[in-house]
Amino acid sequence: MSANAVTGQPPLEPGPASAAPAAGSGAASAVQIFLLGCGLISLALLIAYLFVCVWPSTFTQETTGAEDSKVTFLFTTVSFEVSADVRLLLMVMLAGGLGSFIHTATSFGDFVGNQKLSRSWLWWYILKPFIGMALAVVFYLVIRGGFLSAGAEAGKLNVYGIAALAGLAGMFSKQATDKLSEVFDAMFRTATANGDAKRKDDLGNPTPALLELGPTSIALATPNSLVNLKGSGFVRDSVARVNGKSRETAFVDAGQLTVKLLAEDVASAGALEVVVFNPPPGGGVSTPLEIKVAPAAAEAGAATGDAASSEAHVDGCDVQILAATPDEALPAAQGGVA
């Protein structure tokens, strides 16, 4: 779910906004888009309201951080007492959720506006604000425990600064997690064939291998031609490319795909180069195979064989027949046996 990613998904997330939804995933329906949009709006209003409720309006520099205060839940009379530290932690979570909502809503609007929203990204939009909350909490704990004095009290912290940084952590959670991943991958790099590779739970897509296809030849201008691709390493997001252009691809299993050729593919005689592409993470492009596009007459001649074709155009004296003469054009027979 970068649309400028979000690559379709800013890179805001789901890849480039110009990219079509991955094969096999399908575009989100109007009902799904409507429900998701309403859900995001409701979640944003709820987070904003709760943020106002827990905002420490009574914080002063003299607050010790050990004092309790009441927080009223929603529009009810239900309330509970929290310490200044707990209130600050709740505020960080909600600020992270609001920041992540900005990222999510921007991506959602970009993809819906470009009619490129794939339903396989719907859960990304649902979970993103909660991911932002969790990341903001981690960020807060790191800042509070690693960069501030261990004895720093909640009341002596700059709540505006903490809330702003938590919101930024939620808004840029993708960049933050990518950078943390880069740092820790370098710090805790494992040897080749260890880690995920050893446990066989790597989430990356394999490199596809295209071993055969059928049919290997198609008559010129044949409409709606289907080609079966066989090999290994195919995934649901695998896409067949014909002469470098993606075509509608149906996933059968890890060893078989079906691709539908367009009219432009069989509009002229020649050879079509077919490859299979698996998207990141991992993935790659298979080695190419060719499909021949030839006139129907040429294919019929090839089916009957060159020998049969030659015999049909040679007379009894092994002289090639250039043009057949109809019977009515022959001269009348003369002589003969009585």
Side-chain angles (χ1 to χ4, degrees):
M1 271 144 357
S2 263
N4 71 1
V6 174
T7 23
Q9 293 152 5
L12 290 174
E13 232 16 87
S18 59
S25 62
S29 67
V31 174
Q32 291 172 325
I33 292 174
F34 176 77
L35 293 176
L36 181 58
C38 291
L40 289 175
I41 293 173
S42 301
L43 180 62
L45 293 175
L46 176 61
I47 292 176
Y49 172 75
L50 293 176
F51 187 68
V52 172
C53 288
V54 302
W55 181 261
S57 58
T58 60
F59 263 168
T60 64
Q61 291 301 317
E62 289 74 32
T63 303
T64 63
E67 299 175 355
D68 292 341
S69 58
K70 289 186 177 181
V71 173
T72 302
F73 183 72
L74 295 179
F75 301 99
T76 68
T77 58
V78 178
S79 62
F80 54 94
E81 292 187 349
V82 296
S83 66
D85 279 317
V86 174
R87 182 187 286 268
L88 188 58
L89 184 61
L90 291 173
M91 184 189 68
V92 165
M93 293 175 61
L94 294 170
L98 280 176
S100 186
F101 169 77
I102 295 174
H103 183 183
T104 304
T106 304
S107 171
F108 178 76
D110 186 67
F111 279 94
V112 172
N114 285 282
Q115 299 182 348
K116 299 297 183 181
L117 180 62
S118 170
R119 62 173 175 263
S120 63
W121 282 96
L122 295 181
W123 273 107
W124 181 92
Y125 288 106
I126 295 172
L127 295 175
K128 186 66 175 177
F130 301 99
I131 295 173
M133 288 183 182
L135 188 62
V137 170
V138 173
F139 170 82
Y140 168 71
L141 295 176
V142 171
I143 295 296
R144 187 79 186 273
F147 296 96
L148 299 178
S149 171
E153 298 172 347
K156 295 183 179 180
L157 298 177
N158 184 340
V159 293
Y160 294 97
I162 292 293
L165 292 175
L168 290 174
M171 186 184 303
F172 299 104
S173 56
K174 179 180 184 296
Q175 292 88 329
T177 52
D178 287 347
K179 177 54 67 175
L180 287 174
S181 176
E182 180 182 325
V183 171
F184 283 97
D185 282 347
M187 291 177 61
F188 302 109
R189 182 184 296 112
T190 57
T192 303
N194 285 325
D196 288 342
K198 186 176 182 179
R199 291 186 291 270
K200 299 182 179 180
D201 60 354
D202 187 6
L203 294 179
N205 288 326
T207 301
L210 180 57
L211 303 180
E212 61 178 289
L213 52 75
T216 57
S217 61
I218 297 177
L220 190 66
T222 302
N224 301 321
S225 300
L226 293 178
V227 179
N228 293 318
L229 310 180
K230 294 184 179 181
S232 62
F234 301 153
V235 296
R236 292 193 177 276
D237 289 337
S238 294
V239 178
R241 293 176 175 174
V242 178
N243 286 346
K245 297 180 180 179
S246 298
R247 293 292 180 255
E248 181 180 342
T249 307
F251 175 82
V252 179
D253 53 46
Q256 184 174 353
L257 301 173
T258 300
V259 58
K260 184 177 182 180
L261 301 183
L262 299 182
E264 63 186 71
D265 297 326
V266 293
S268 58
L272 302 176
E273 183 181 86
V274 180
V275 299
V276 176
F277 168 73
N278 282 356
V285 181
S286 70
T287 53
L289 292 180
E290 288 190 347
I291 300 176
K292 293 182 179 180
V293 179
E299 289 198 341
T304 56
D306 292 337
S309 177
S310 298
E311 290 177 2
H313 295 81
V314 174
D315 66 6
C317 299
D318 291 334
V319 176
Q320 185 177 6
I321 301 174
L322 299 179
T325 303
D327 292 340
E328 57 269 22
L330 294 173
Q334 296 180 358
V337 179

